[in-house]
Amino acid sequence: MIKNVVVILFLFNLVACNPAQKASQNKSASKVAPFSCLSSQNQCDVTTDLGVFTVEFSGQTEQGKVKTELPFHIQLTFNASMKDSQIKSVNSYLEGKSMFMGKIPVFFEQGEKNSNVMRAETLLVNCSEEIMTWRQWFAVEVDQGGEVVTQDFFIDFDSKRL
């Protein structure tokens, strides 16, 4: 009798798992709203000797600020000054500017169509302040026809507590 109950429970657990549903959820989650600059950003375009880096956001925003504790996306687009320059990798992290709350790593991946578009998904933690300023640091490795050059820069933007 106990064997039968164990087998039935085991089969019930197998049937309860639905990998097809999870795969369809991942596809819908990969769709990202349009990217734009936040009104709270200190700069949207960062001009360097290598070219122009544009940092844009997508997700839950309110009055030009990112909402805390909700996932959002960051897109880094590189408009190279040299024709064959391409982003090789991006190392990035966020830290509180108005209140230090540790470093939050941001992991960028290659965009779908263009090798000079990188995207990341992240979120921010709540803080005691209603509005907090964050600083995002970037170290971008750019391949310039076989020579790899690193460009460092940062942007500041605000978040709003839920």
Side-chain angles (χ1 to χ4, degrees), residues 15-81:
V15 172
C17 296
N18 191 352
Q21 181 181 4
K22 189 174 182 178
S24 66
Q25 287 174 346
N26 287 343
K27 285 182 182 178
S28 64
S30 66
K31 294 180 182 177
V32 179
F35 287 91
S36 63
C37 293
L38 298 173
S39 60
S40 67
Q41 278 179 252
N42 67 332
Q43 55 186 340
C44 188
D45 297 322
V46 179
T47 304
T48 68
D49 292 339
L50 301 177
V52 178
F53 294 92
T54 303
V55 182
E56 297 175 299
F57 293 82
S58 174
Q60 297 290 327
T61 61
E62 184 176 312
Q63 299 174 345
K65 299 168 188 67
V66 172
K67 288 185 182 179
T68 58
E69 295 189 359
L70 294 173
F72 63 95
H73 294 85
I74 303 169
Q75 178 171 279
L76 176 67
T77 306
F78 177 51
N79 186 2
S81 57

Side-chain angles (χ1 to χ4, degrees), residues 53-56 74-78 87 90 108 116-119 138 140 153:
F53 294 92
T54 303
V55 182
E56 297 175 299
I74 303 169
Q75 178 171 279
L76 176 67
T77 306
F78 177 51
I87 294 178
V90 177
F108 280 86
N116 280 333
V117 175
M118 304 290 277
R119 290 188 180 148
F138 293 89
V140 183
F153 61 92

